[in-house]
Amino acid sequence: MTISPPPGTAEPARAASPLTISEQGAFWVGVGRKPTEAGTAAEAAMYVQYQIPADLRYPLPVVMVHGGGGQGTDYLSTPDGRPGWATRFLQAGYAVYVVDRPGHGRSPYHPDVLGPIEGAAPTYEFIRWLFCEGAGRPGSQWPGSGEVGDDPALDQFLASQGPTLPTFAENEEQMRRCGAELLDRIGPAVLITHSMGAPFGWLVADARPGLVKAVVSIEPIGPPFIELPGLGKLEWGLTAAPITYEPPARTPEELRLRLREAGGDGLQDCLVQDEEAGAVRSLPGLQGFPIAVVAADHSPFASFQHGVADYLVQAGADAELLRLADLGLTGNGHLPMGEKNSDDVAEALLTWLNKRLAGGEEPSR
C-alpha cells in the first residue's frame, strides 16, 4: 500500500515522497470477561492500530500513547489536517503502534464495565486553556486562532475528546494490564506517551522488565505526588497505582519526602525523596533504558516538568529533561504533536531517540 499526501496539503520537502506500507491492521489487548447483571461483558480492552513501512530501518517498534480524554487520533493527524507523528515515524523507518487506551476512542466506555462517567463533558473553555491559551500571540504554534466559534482546529480537537476513567488509580491499572499484554505480543518497544498517558510508560516498564527500550514522555502529568480533585493523587510519586521501589515500600507513606527548590523563574518547587531521612529508594523498573521528559515553553505543565525529571533521576533512572525551547522550538503548548511545528518536534525526538539507541539498536541499512 502506497500513501501519498492529500491533494492541496502543504508538505515539507522531506515528506513529499509517497510512503509505502508493507503491513497494517488492528487488534485489541486486555480482552477479559466481566460479570454484569445483564450477563458476561468484555473487560475493558485497548485498541491497537499498527502500520509497518516497507522501508523498515529500525528493529524496535514505537508505541504511541495518548493522554487524558484523547485517543489515538492525536498521533494520526493534526487538528488542522496535516499528517501526524505516526506518519512521520513511519517515514523515518519505524513500525508504529497507536493505541486507544481503555475507555477512549475505539476502546468503548461502558459504565457497567468501567464505572459511571463522572464530571462534566470536555468543554471548549477547558480545552482552550490547556492546549491553546494565548494562541493569538506572535510565535504561537497552535494551528488556529484559539477562539471558540472561529477556530476549525479547535473544533476538530474538541470533537476527539471524551471522558476519563473515574480515578487515576483505575485508569492506570488498565494501562498497566493492557500495555503489558501489548508488549508480550509485539516484543521490545519504544514508548511515546503524552500527559495523563505518562503512567503507561512508568507502569508498563515496571511490569515488563527488559521489554521497554526507551520512553519519550511528552508533557507528563505531575508534579510528583500531585492531587487533583475528583481524580486522585499520584501517591507513589509519578503514579497513582503501586510501582516497585527498592528497598520495597509497602505503602506510599514510607516514601519520605522533601520540597526541592526549583531555582528558576516561573518554575515551581517540587517534591523529591528526602536524602537526609535515609536511603533514597530507587525505581528498578525504570532503569537500564533512556527516558526523555519533553517540556514545551508555553504549556500549563511547563512549570513542573523539571520535577518529573528530577524525581526519575533521583530514583536511578537514565532520565533527561528536553526543553523544546532549548532545541530552538518555541511557542509550543501542551500538544506539540498537533501544532504547526509538529514535524520539527518529531525530527528533534527522532534525533534524540536514534542517538540514545545507537549503542544497542543500530538501524538496518
Side-chain angles (χ1 to χ4, degrees):
M1 173 181 290
T2 299
I3 302 174
S4 299
T9 301
E11 295 278 347
R14 63 175 175 271
S17 59
L19 170 63
T20 302
I21 301 297
S22 66
E23 184 180 348
Q24 65 179 6
F27 54 88
W28 277 264
V29 292
V31 182
R33 285 156 293 281
K34 182 170 183 176
T36 71
E37 291 183 0
T40 305
E43 188 173 4
M46 185 171 73
Y47 178 84
V48 183
Q49 170 182 327
Y50 70 92
Q51 291 182 306
I52 301 174
D55 184 17
L56 182 64
R57 281 170 275 167
Y58 297 92
L60 293 173
V62 172
V63 177
M64 297 185 172
V65 183
H66 64 84
Q71 55 184 289
T73 52
D74 292 351
Y75 293 102
L76 299 180
S77 62
T78 64
D80 60 332
R82 293 172 292 113
W85 282 4
T87 297
R88 298 308 180 221
F89 276 72
L90 285 165
Q91 289 169 326
Y94 283 94
V96 174
Y97 292 74
V98 178
V99 310
D100 289 356
R101 294 190 285 106
H104 301 269
R106 290 163 289 188
S107 301
Y109 193 123
H110 196 287
D112 286 352
V113 177
L114 289 169
I117 295 176
E118 300 181 3
T123 64
Y124 277 95
E125 291 76 15
F126 175 74
I127 295 298
R128 185 185 187 281
W129 167 79
L130 183 56
F131 294 100
C132 51
E133 183 69 24
R137 70 179 182 273
S140 169
Q141 297 293 348
W142 177 258
S145 68
E147 297 297 327
V148 179
D150 187 39
D151 187 347
L154 181 57
D155 292 336
Q156 289 291 308
F157 185 64
L158 183 61
S160 73
Q161 299 297 296
T164 59
L165 298 188
T167 67
F168 277 158
E170 181 176 352
N171 198 334
E172 293 177 9
E173 289 297 351
Q174 300 290 0
M175 294 187 209
R176 187 205 312 263
R177 180 176 62 85
C178 294
E181 185 174 318
L182 174 60
L183 293 197
D184 288 343
R185 177 165 177 164
I186 70 173
V190 172
L191 306 182
I192 297 180
T193 65
H194 178 227
S195 192
M196 280 180 64
F200 186 107
W202 317 140
L203 292 168
V204 173
D206 187 57
R208 290 296 182 269
L211 291 185
V212 174
K213 296 302 183 181
V215 172
V216 179
S217 190
I218 312 296
E219 292 269 303
I221 189 172
F225 301 97
I226 186 67
E227 183 170 5
L228 295 180
L231 290 174
K233 180 180 180 181
L234 300 180
E235 59 182 2
W236 290 92
L238 299 178
T239 65
I243 191 169
T244 304
Y245 280 90
E246 183 60 44
R250 292 167 295 180
T251 67
E253 289 72 27
E254 294 183 25
L255 299 171
R256 300 178 179 181
L257 309 174
R258 69 175 179 87
L259 198 63
R260 177 181 288 178
E261 293 185 2
D265 293 339
L267 303 180
Q268 69 182 82
D269 300 341
C270 296
L271 290 169
V272 294
Q273 295 184 61
D274 187 355
E275 301 96 334
E276 296 182 1
V280 170
R281 286 178 164 86
S282 66
L283 289 165
L286 303 186
Q287 297 178 8
F289 58 86
I291 298 172
V293 175
V294 181
D297 58 341
H298 285 286
S299 165
F301 284 31
S303 65
F304 62 74
Q305 292 302 313
H306 66 282
V308 176
D310 287 349
Y311 194 82
L312 288 165
V313 170
Q314 186 191 48
D318 178 11
E320 180 179 356
L321 178 63
L322 292 183
R323 292 196 179 277
L324 295 181
D326 292 342
L327 304 177
L329 300 168
T330 60
N332 286 101
H334 188 52
L335 192 76
M337 67 281 291
E339 295 181 304
K340 288 187 287 189
N341 65 345
S342 59
D343 287 350
D344 296 325
V345 178
E347 286 287 344
L349 299 182
L350 282 162
T351 297
W352 180 87
L353 185 60
N354 294 341
K355 178 181 178 181
R356 293 306 310 271
L357 293 178
E361 300 288 351
E362 291 287 351
S364 58
R365 300 295 181 187

